[in-house]
Amino acid sequence: MENNQVLDILLQIKTQVEGLHSTVSNIEIKVDTIETKIDDLESRMSGMESRMDNMESKMTNMESRIGSIESTVSNMESDIAGIKETVNRIEQQQQEDVIALLKVIDCNVTEINERQEETDHVIDVLSARTTRLQAKTEHLSNLDN
């Protein structure tokens, strides 16, 4: 082989090595870009994990508050049922009290009417006696004159 041939082969090798070097440089640039993107993704993932942890904390807090609200509503329902029962009992008792009062009033009115009738009878008797006594007194007074 001649020198020229060796030089041509070396030049070809050099060109290929330069091409490989250029390709490797491009690959390095792409790898750097990929690493940058991966770092950005890791940063975003870290932010998302932080936000997810925050959301989990808020959800736990909300679940706790909802449990408290459910407990309060349950207590209110129980209280309302107790109030309804009391109102119903009071209404029933009130009706019974009114009926009892009306019976007492009826008895008192009956008793008053009976006493009134007795009093009217006594007054009638006394009025009749007074009328007779006046007539007798007048008659006696006419006899004296």
Side-chain angles (χ1 to χ4, degrees), residues 76-94:
M76 287 174 67
E77 287 173 343
S78 176
D79 290 346
I80 288 170
I83 290 169
K84 283 182 179 179
E85 182 180 316
T86 300
V87 167
N88 289 338
R89 189 172 16 87
I90 289 171
E91 286 176 346
Q92 181 64 33
Q93 185 65 40
Q94 190 177 27

Side-chain angles (χ1 to χ4, degrees), residues 38-101:
I38 288 173
D39 288 344
D40 185 46
L41 286 173
E42 285 177 349
S43 174
R44 286 182 180 182
M45 287 296 289
S46 176
M48 286 175 60
E49 286 175 356
S50 174
R51 287 171 39 194
M52 289 293 284
D53 289 344
N54 189 22
M55 284 175 49
E56 279 183 33
S57 174
K58 287 180 179 180
M59 287 295 288
T60 301
N61 186 23
M62 282 177 39
E63 288 172 349
S64 172
R65 291 171 69 187
I66 287 172
S68 175
I69 289 171
E70 287 174 342
S71 175
T72 300
V73 167
S74 177
N75 288 340
M76 287 174 67
E77 287 173 343
S78 176
D79 290 346
I80 288 170
I83 290 169
K84 283 182 179 179
E85 182 180 316
T86 300
V87 167
N88 289 338
R89 189 172 16 87
I90 289 171
E91 286 176 346
Q92 181 64 33
Q93 185 65 40
Q94 190 177 27
Q95 289 174 359
E96 291 171 2
D97 289 347
V98 167
I99 290 170
L101 284 172

Side-chain angles (χ1 to χ4, degrees), residues 109-121:
V109 167
T110 302
E111 186 178 320
I112 289 170
N113 284 337
E114 288 172 358
R115 284 185 184 173
Q116 183 67 41
E117 287 174 10
E118 287 175 17
T119 304
D120 287 347
H121 179 67

Side-chain angles (χ1 to χ4, degrees), residues 24-39:
V24 167
S25 290
N26 286 339
I27 290 173
E28 284 178 348
I29 291 171
K30 289 180 180 180
V31 167
D32 286 343
T33 302
I34 290 172
E35 284 178 348
T36 301
K37 288 181 179 181
I38 288 173
D39 288 344

Side-chain angles (χ1 to χ4, degrees), residues 120-132:
D120 287 347
H121 179 67
V122 168
I123 289 172
D124 288 343
V125 168
L126 290 175
S127 178
R129 280 186 188 171
T130 303
T131 304
R132 276 183 292 168

